[in-house]
Every structure is written in structure tokens, then in C-alpha cells.
Amino acid sequence: MDTKATKDLQYWKNYASSLKIDARAFIDGKSVEAADGATFDCVSPIDGKVIAKVTQSGETEINLAVAAARRSFEQGVWAGLNPRKRKSAMQRWASLLREHADELSALETIDAGKPIGDTTSVDIPGAIYCVEWFAEAIDKVGGEVAPVDHHLVGLVTREPIGVVAAVVPWNFPLLMASWKFAPALAAGNSVVLKPSEKSPLTAIRVAQLAFEAGIPAGVFNVVPGFGSAGKLLALHMDVDCIAFTGSTAVGKQIMQCAGQSNLKRTWLELGGKSPNIILPDCPDLDRAASSAASAIFYNMGEMCTAGSRLLVHRDIKDAFIEKLLVAAKSYTPGHPLDPSTSMGAIVDTIQLERVQSYIEAGRAEASLLTGGNRTLQDTGGYYIEPTVFDVSNPAARIAREEIFGPVLSVLTFDSVDDAVRIANDSEYGLAAAVWTSNLTTAHEVSRRLRAGTIWVNCYDEGGDMNFPFGGYKQSGNGRDKSLHALEKYTELKSTLVRLR
Ligand code: NAP
Ligand code: MG
């Protein structure tokens, strides 16, 4: 047995190169190639090398997957199962995922460039926990008996919707997918998942393991492919619900596709430009500074909740920035398979160029405090230094648009009202944070911030499943996580029985 101490860079490199990657679509209990044989290259951002040829799902594969999901749903092999049995199957699946945790972590790291220290401690355990959490709810959550006239019995029940499509991004490939498929499957639906073309490998593996654990054929299908495959799902007449995590621009298209087709239920978890407000009575400037650095540099800034707008009161600005720049140094990019690496690679060249173009815009409209360069180019991979700009104009592009990279805008304010106004002046409303020692200020500011998650004296806390997660405004609708997420994947039915 390997101990944790032996799992160094060389260990993980050997481990990753020994993986046998089956990157075919998983439809109706089988690994399948595209009917026309189409594949696309899965490139590792660690070094720019191709690590797998992935099935490129087209119309045929999407139709096959939706048909398999429909058939399994109508046959009741999953939806009609005794809830305890459905729970047991998901628990067996979670155990199998745990047995394969190293494999899944390594796949996630080589596919998306995330540090192995994060995939082994956050991404993969988080996804397994999500499966377990919703499995546990299956035989705990029931319906209601409504208080109606004595001659009636009124039942309010929740039923699975049917075929749920999930389209997910690449920043937390398996974790974001699990926030969809775990509650959707727990509620009894059959699922068709389209992972991002930039990070399809763990989703495919997890579907193979679901089948191995006894989840019946057709209940969980994975169709890797491009955005066009996601669009086919959004337009499909036999998909009952689409759950999407990704950009606001694509989210809008998904909603339009639902309107153009069968008015499928549409759940959107979209982008953000979250404000992190440091008031002058911040209880601990050192902790706030290291938290502000992690809020933007963790996961290379590829975070929907990234604290990408740091709002600092003028009186403490200089002192705070000094501490922030020290904290930023602990995010020097390194080899993602090295357990000591805290910052990995940007997911692909498209995202790399996007981040670089924002940095160029920033150089023109703000002053650069640190970073700003591509680094480790000799590796062939895609790495960017942690970058901080002092932005005097809140209307600057880098302070308004979601960059989805390690680029922080520092803005200055003079009063609480000022801070709240700047914070809320955004099309997004995913998350926000405020640092203060005053209990009243903490609650009042929390109430005034228009965002789905508010952190007080912390950032990015809440890794468990109890809290609903999602956005106000153009950060989306609906909520992932918590029992509220189960509701998204059910229809509400009223049944009235006349007794006499
Ligand atoms: P994206 O470009 O919107 O893509 C998301 C998914 O949609 C991918 O699987 C993509 O496939 C697919 N897609 C692209 N075009 C499509 C279309 N016309 N119809 C249907 N599907 C389509 O987003 P991303 O770059 O992967 O992810 C970054 C975004 O996700 C950021 O905006 C981030 O804030 C957001 N995000 C939000 C949350 C949240 O919970 N609110 C969590 C994480 C990320 P391909 O990749 O194959 O093109
Ligand atoms: Mg990849």
C-alpha cells in the first residue's frame, strides 16, 4: 500500500501515465463510439499533449442517449424502484467511486490542470459526498397530506420529471456535474450528462462505475461533445428538464432553446463577478488578506464565485494591499501533479488567451500591482501568474466582466453605502463577502447585498451540502445543493380523493 508520504510528483506522473483511459460515450449501459466515428482530442493543459481521443457525440448519440433515458424511465427500473433500493444503489456507487478516488483525481488533474492536492481533497471527495448526501435523502423526504375538506383526502406528492439533461463546465468538472446528477438521480429521474469538451474524462468514468454499481442501463448516460451537443439537448423534444452550469451567454441560449422546443424546465447556474468588501473595522486584516488571495487565486481563478472584485476602504487600503501581495506569492504556478502545487494550469489555450487579453486591457485601464505574465512556457502548458490590478474606475472592463482567471481588481470606497452601491452595480449576483467586527453592520450589509450567497468574515466557506447554491440576477435561477435541489428535479402533483 502507498502511504500519503510516498505520493510525490514522480508517483503521480507514473500513476497518470499508467491510466488506461476509455473516453467513449456511455449510453444505455455501454461504452460506445460515435456512429460516424468522430472523436476530438483531449489535451492536457499541463504540457499541451493529447491524452485521449474522446467520442464526439452528434445527433445520433444524443438521440440514442435520450431514448435510453426515456425507456429506462418509462420502464420504472429506477424511478419505480423501492426508495431503499435506489438509495442502496447510489451508496454502492459512492463506495466504488471512493475505491477509484485516486484514479478520478489523477484524471481530473491531467484533464483540467487542477492541482492534485485539490482534486484529491476537494473535487473528488466533494463529488462522492454529494452522491452520498442525496442517496441518504431518498428514503427520508416524503410528500404532504393537505388540510382539505373532510370528505376529501388531498395528497401533495413530488414525482421525478422524467429525462433530465445536464450540461456542465470545466472548472470543477466532476463536482459541478455531481451537483446535478446526484439530486436528479436521487429524485428518480434518468439523466443524460454532457460534460465540457475541455474536461470530459471523469464524467465518462463515473458513468461506467454507476453501471458497475448496479444503476440500471439507460439511467445515467454521458455524451461527451461540443457545445452543439449541449444545444441538441436543449432543443430536444423528449428532454423534460435541462440543468445547466456555465456562462451567462450560453445560459441565455439554453433558455431560448427550451422556449423554442418543449418548454422543458430550465435551471441555470451562471457566471459571477463577486465583491469582497473589507470594511475598516475588519477583525483580522491578515486573515482577510490571505482569504482575499485564495478567493481569486484558488483553482487558478476559474471559480464562478471568485472574489474578483476586492473592495477596500480607503483608510486601510495601503496596509491591506501590502498583506495581499504577500499572500498572492503563495500561489506561484507549478506542476499540477505535484502535491505541493497550489496553482495549476489554465484549462486550455482559448481560456489562456482570454485571460491574457483581459490582462492587456487591465494594463491600459488600471495599474498593475503584481503578476500579469504567462509563465512556465518551457513545459508546453498554460500557466499565468497571480495578477492584481489597482482599479480606480469601477466601470473598467476588468472590474465588470467575468475573467475566470487569476486576475483581481482592487477597488476603493469611502463609506458603507458606497461599498454596497459598487458591490451591487453588476449584472451578476452569485456571491459576496463583507468583513467587519460590527454585528449590526454585518447583518445590514448582508441584507443589502443582492447575491445568492453572503459570507461574513470569511470567503468560500460552505463546502457541505446543506446550503443552497446559486445566483441572483444574471447569475442564474434555481439552486444547486441542499434539499431544495431535489425539488428542482421533481414535478409537484396534487391528488384529491373524494371519499363520499
Ligand atoms: P460555457 O462556455 O457556457 O459552457 C458550459 C457548457 O455548455 C459546456 O459543456 C459547453 O460545451 C456547453 N455549451 C456551449 N455552448 C452551448 C450551446 N450553445 N448550447 C448548449 N450547451 C453549450 O461555460 P464554461 O466556459 O464551460 O464555464 C465557465 C462558466 O461557468 C463561467 O461563466 C462560470 O462562472 C460558470 N460557472 C458557474 C457556476 C455556478 O454554479 N453558478 C459554477 C461553475 C461555473 P463545450 O465546453 O463543449 O463547448
Ligand atoms: Mg482537458
Short mmCIF file of all heavy atoms in Angstrom, two decimals, residues 84-116:
data_model
loop_
_atom_site.label_atom_id
_atom_site.label_comp_id
_atom_site.label_asym_id
_atom_site.label_seq_id
_atom_site.Cartn_x
_atom_site.Cartn_y
_atom_site.Cartn_z
N ARG A 84 -35.58 2.55 -0.82
CA ARG A 84 -34.41 1.99 -0.13
C ARG A 84 -33.44 1.35 -1.11
O ARG A 84 -32.23 1.40 -0.92
CB ARG A 84 -34.85 0.95 0.90
CG ARG A 84 -35.33 1.58 2.19
CD ARG A 84 -35.87 0.56 3.14
NE ARG A 84 -34.86 -0.42 3.53
CZ ARG A 84 -35.15 -1.45 4.31
NH1 ARG A 84 -36.38 -1.65 4.75
NH2 ARG A 84 -34.21 -2.31 4.66
N LYS A 85 -33.99 0.71 -2.14
CA LYS A 85 -33.10 0.07 -3.12
C LYS A 85 -32.38 1.11 -3.96
O LYS A 85 -31.22 0.93 -4.34
CB LYS A 85 -33.92 -0.88 -4.02
CG LYS A 85 -34.41 -2.08 -3.27
CD LYS A 85 -34.90 -3.16 -4.21
CE LYS A 85 -35.21 -4.42 -3.42
NZ LYS A 85 -36.13 -5.31 -4.13
N ARG A 86 -33.10 2.18 -4.27
CA ARG A 86 -32.45 3.25 -5.03
C ARG A 86 -31.32 3.86 -4.19
O ARG A 86 -30.24 4.14 -4.69
CB ARG A 86 -33.48 4.31 -5.40
CG ARG A 86 -33.26 4.88 -6.77
CD ARG A 86 -34.49 5.53 -7.36
NE ARG A 86 -34.91 6.69 -6.60
CZ ARG A 86 -36.17 6.98 -6.33
NH1 ARG A 86 -37.13 6.20 -6.78
NH2 ARG A 86 -36.49 8.04 -5.65
N LYS A 87 -31.61 4.03 -2.92
CA LYS A 87 -30.58 4.57 -2.03
C LYS A 87 -29.37 3.62 -1.99
O LYS A 87 -28.23 4.06 -2.12
CB LYS A 87 -31.14 4.73 -0.61
CG LYS A 87 -30.11 5.25 0.37
CD LYS A 87 -30.67 5.48 1.75
CE LYS A 87 -30.78 4.16 2.50
NZ LYS A 87 -31.13 4.38 3.91
N SER A 88 -29.63 2.31 -1.83
CA SER A 88 -28.51 1.35 -1.75
C SER A 88 -27.65 1.39 -3.00
O SER A 88 -26.43 1.32 -2.94
CB SER A 88 -29.02 -0.07 -1.55
OG SER A 88 -29.76 -0.14 -0.39
N ALA A 89 -28.32 1.49 -4.15
CA ALA A 89 -27.55 1.51 -5.41
C ALA A 89 -26.64 2.73 -5.45
O ALA A 89 -25.47 2.64 -5.83
CB ALA A 89 -28.50 1.49 -6.61
N MET A 90 -27.17 3.88 -5.04
CA MET A 90 -26.33 5.08 -5.06
C MET A 90 -25.22 4.99 -4.01
O MET A 90 -24.12 5.48 -4.22
CB MET A 90 -27.18 6.34 -4.87
CG MET A 90 -27.91 6.70 -6.17
SD MET A 90 -28.79 8.28 -6.16
CE MET A 90 -27.50 9.49 -6.12
N GLN A 91 -25.51 4.33 -2.90
CA GLN A 91 -24.45 4.17 -1.88
C GLN A 91 -23.35 3.23 -2.38
O GLN A 91 -22.17 3.46 -2.14
CB GLN A 91 -25.06 3.66 -0.57
CG GLN A 91 -25.84 4.76 0.14
CD GLN A 91 -26.58 4.27 1.37
OE1 GLN A 91 -27.01 3.11 1.42
NE2 GLN A 91 -26.77 5.14 2.34
N ARG A 92 -23.76 2.15 -3.08
CA ARG A 92 -22.73 1.25 -3.66
C ARG A 92 -21.88 2.01 -4.66
O ARG A 92 -20.66 1.85 -4.74
CB ARG A 92 -23.41 0.07 -4.38
CG ARG A 92 -23.89 -1.04 -3.48
CD ARG A 92 -24.15 -2.31 -4.28
NE ARG A 92 -25.08 -2.14 -5.38
CZ ARG A 92 -26.41 -2.15 -5.27
NH1 ARG A 92 -26.98 -2.31 -4.09
NH2 ARG A 92 -27.18 -1.98 -6.33
N TRP A 93 -22.55 2.86 -5.43
CA TRP A 93 -21.84 3.68 -6.43
C TRP A 93 -20.82 4.59 -5.72
O TRP A 93 -19.66 4.67 -6.11
CB TRP A 93 -22.87 4.50 -7.20
CG TRP A 93 -22.38 5.36 -8.29
CD1 TRP A 93 -21.24 5.20 -9.03
CD2 TRP A 93 -23.06 6.51 -8.81
NE1 TRP A 93 -21.16 6.21 -9.98
CE2 TRP A 93 -22.26 7.02 -9.85
CE3 TRP A 93 -24.24 7.17 -8.49
CZ2 TRP A 93 -22.61 8.15 -10.58
CZ3 TRP A 93 -24.60 8.29 -9.21
CH2 TRP A 93 -23.79 8.77 -10.25
N ALA A 94 -21.27 5.23 -4.64
CA ALA A 94 -20.36 6.12 -3.90
C ALA A 94 -19.16 5.35 -3.37
O ALA A 94 -18.02 5.83 -3.43
CB ALA A 94 -21.12 6.81 -2.75
N SER A 95 -19.38 4.13 -2.88
CA SER A 95 -18.26 3.32 -2.38
C SER A 95 -17.28 2.99 -3.49
O SER A 95 -16.07 3.04 -3.31
CB SER A 95 -18.74 1.99 -1.79
OG SER A 95 -19.67 2.23 -0.81
N LEU A 96 -17.84 2.67 -4.65
CA LEU A 96 -16.98 2.34 -5.79
C LEU A 96 -16.19 3.59 -6.23
O LEU A 96 -15.01 3.50 -6.57
CB LEU A 96 -17.87 1.84 -6.93
CG LEU A 96 -17.22 1.03 -8.04
CD1 LEU A 96 -16.44 -0.16 -7.49
CD2 LEU A 96 -18.31 0.52 -9.01
N LEU A 97 -16.84 4.73 -6.20
CA LEU A 97 -16.14 5.98 -6.53
C LEU A 97 -14.99 6.20 -5.55
O LEU A 97 -13.90 6.62 -5.93
CB LEU A 97 -17.10 7.18 -6.49
CG LEU A 97 -18.23 7.18 -7.53
CD1 LEU A 97 -19.14 8.39 -7.31
CD2 LEU A 97 -17.67 7.20 -8.95
N ARG A 98 -15.25 5.89 -4.28
CA ARG A 98 -14.20 6.08 -3.28
C ARG A 98 -13.02 5.15 -3.57
O ARG A 98 -11.86 5.57 -3.47
CB ARG A 98 -14.78 5.85 -1.88
CG ARG A 98 -13.83 6.24 -0.78
CD ARG A 98 -14.52 6.61 0.52
NE ARG A 98 -15.03 7.97 0.52
CZ ARG A 98 -16.28 8.30 0.77
NH1 ARG A 98 -17.18 7.36 1.04
NH2 ARG A 98 -16.67 9.55 0.74
N GLU A 99 -13.32 3.91 -3.96
CA GLU A 99 -12.22 2.99 -4.32
C GLU A 99 -11.41 3.53 -5.49
O GLU A 99 -10.24 3.24 -5.63
CB GLU A 99 -12.80 1.62 -4.74
CG GLU A 99 -13.22 0.74 -3.60
CD GLU A 99 -13.94 -0.51 -4.12
OE1 GLU A 99 -13.58 -1.01 -5.21
OE2 GLU A 99 -14.88 -0.96 -3.44
N HIS A 100 -12.08 4.29 -6.36
CA HIS A 100 -11.41 4.82 -7.55
C HIS A 100 -11.02 6.29 -7.39
O HIS A 100 -10.79 6.97 -8.39
CB HIS A 100 -12.33 4.65 -8.77
CG HIS A 100 -12.46 3.23 -9.20
ND1 HIS A 100 -11.71 2.67 -10.21
CD2 HIS A 100 -13.24 2.23 -8.72
CE1 HIS A 100 -12.04 1.40 -10.34
NE2 HIS A 100 -12.96 1.10 -9.46
N ALA A 101 -10.94 6.76 -6.16
CA ALA A 101 -10.72 8.20 -5.94
C ALA A 101 -9.39 8.69 -6.52
O ALA A 101 -9.32 9.76 -7.12
CB ALA A 101 -10.80 8.53 -4.44
N ASP A 102 -8.34 7.89 -6.37
CA ASP A 102 -7.04 8.32 -6.92
C ASP A 102 -7.10 8.41 -8.44
O ASP A 102 -6.57 9.35 -9.05
CB ASP A 102 -5.92 7.33 -6.52
CG ASP A 102 -5.36 7.67 -5.14
OD1 ASP A 102 -5.88 8.60 -4.50
OD2 ASP A 102 -4.41 6.98 -4.73
N GLU A 103 -7.73 7.42 -9.03
CA GLU A 103 -7.86 7.41 -10.50
C GLU A 103 -8.64 8.66 -10.97
O GLU A 103 -8.22 9.36 -11.90
CB GLU A 103 -8.59 6.13 -10.93
CG GLU A 103 -8.84 6.03 -12.41
CD GLU A 103 -9.79 4.90 -12.75
OE1 GLU A 103 -10.09 4.05 -11.88
OE2 GLU A 103 -10.24 4.86 -13.92
N LEU A 104 -9.75 8.94 -10.29
CA LEU A 104 -10.57 10.08 -10.69
C LEU A 104 -9.82 11.40 -10.46
O LEU A 104 -9.88 12.31 -11.28
CB LEU A 104 -11.89 10.07 -9.91
CG LEU A 104 -12.83 8.91 -10.28
CD1 LEU A 104 -13.94 8.77 -9.24
CD2 LEU A 104 -13.43 9.12 -11.67
N SER A 105 -9.07 11.47 -9.35
CA SER A 105 -8.31 12.70 -9.06
C SER A 105 -7.25 12.93 -10.13
O SER A 105 -7.06 14.05 -10.61
CB SER A 105 -7.64 12.60 -7.69
OG SER A 105 -8.59 12.40 -6.68
N ALA A 106 -6.54 11.85 -10.48
CA ALA A 106 -5.48 11.99 -11.49
C ALA A 106 -6.09 12.38 -12.84
O ALA A 106 -5.56 13.25 -13.55
CB ALA A 106 -4.70 10.68 -11.61
N LEU A 107 -7.23 11.76 -13.19
CA LEU A 107 -7.89 12.11 -14.46
C LEU A 107 -8.26 13.59 -14.48
O LEU A 107 -8.04 14.30 -15.46
CB LEU A 107 -9.17 11.28 -14.65
CG LEU A 107 -9.03 9.85 -15.16
CD1 LEU A 107 -10.40 9.18 -15.18
CD2 LEU A 107 -8.40 9.82 -16.56
N GLU A 108 -8.83 14.05 -13.36
CA GLU A 108 -9.27 15.46 -13.29
C GLU A 108 -8.07 16.39 -13.43
O GLU A 108 -8.14 17.42 -14.11
CB GLU A 108 -10.00 15.69 -11.96
CG GLU A 108 -10.97 16.83 -11.96
CD GLU A 108 -12.31 16.48 -12.60
OE1 GLU A 108 -12.30 16.03 -13.78
OE2 GLU A 108 -13.35 16.65 -11.96
N THR A 109 -6.97 16.02 -12.78
CA THR A 109 -5.78 16.89 -12.81
C THR A 109 -5.17 16.94 -14.21
O THR A 109 -4.86 18.03 -14.71
CB THR A 109 -4.76 16.41 -11.77
OG1 THR A 109 -5.26 16.73 -10.48
CG2 THR A 109 -3.41 17.10 -11.94
N ILE A 110 -5.03 15.80 -14.87
CA ILE A 110 -4.38 15.85 -16.19
C ILE A 110 -5.32 16.45 -17.23
O ILE A 110 -4.87 17.07 -18.20
CB ILE A 110 -3.85 14.46 -16.65
CG1 ILE A 110 -4.96 13.43 -16.75
CG2 ILE A 110 -2.74 14.00 -15.74
CD1 ILE A 110 -4.51 12.09 -17.33
N ASP A 111 -6.62 16.33 -17.01
CA ASP A 111 -7.58 16.83 -17.99
C ASP A 111 -7.79 18.35 -17.86
O ASP A 111 -7.85 19.08 -18.85
CB ASP A 111 -8.91 16.10 -17.78
CG ASP A 111 -9.86 16.26 -18.95
OD1 ASP A 111 -9.56 17.03 -19.87
OD2 ASP A 111 -10.91 15.60 -18.95
N ALA A 112 -7.89 18.83 -16.61
CA ALA A 112 -8.26 20.24 -16.40
C ALA A 112 -7.13 21.09 -15.83
O ALA A 112 -7.29 22.30 -15.69
CB ALA A 112 -9.49 20.31 -15.48
N GLY A 113 -6.00 20.47 -15.47
CA GLY A 113 -4.85 21.24 -14.98
C GLY A 113 -4.96 21.66 -13.53
O GLY A 113 -4.18 22.48 -13.05
N LYS A 114 -5.93 21.08 -12.82
CA LYS A 114 -6.12 21.44 -11.41
C LYS A 114 -5.06 20.76 -10.55
O LYS A 114 -4.71 19.61 -10.80
CB LYS A 114 -7.50 20.97 -10.95
CG LYS A 114 -8.65 21.59 -11.71
CD LYS A 114 -9.94 20.86 -11.43
CE LYS A 114 -10.41 21.12 -10.03
NZ LYS A 114 -11.27 22.31 -9.89
N PRO A 115 -4.59 21.43 -9.49
CA PRO A 115 -3.59 20.80 -8.61
C PRO A 115 -4.11 19.48 -8.02
O PRO A 115 -5.26 19.41 -7.58
CB PRO A 115 -3.38 21.83 -7.51
CG PRO A 115 -3.77 23.13 -8.11
CD PRO A 115 -4.89 22.82 -9.08
N ILE A 116 -3.23 18.48 -7.99
CA ILE A 116 -3.63 17.16 -7.46
C ILE A 116 -4.01 17.27 -5.99
O ILE A 116 -4.89 16.55 -5.51
CB ILE A 116 -2.50 16.12 -7.68
CG1 ILE A 116 -2.99 14.70 -7.39
CG2 ILE A 116 -1.25 16.43 -6.85
CD1 ILE A 116 -3.78 14.06 -8.46
#
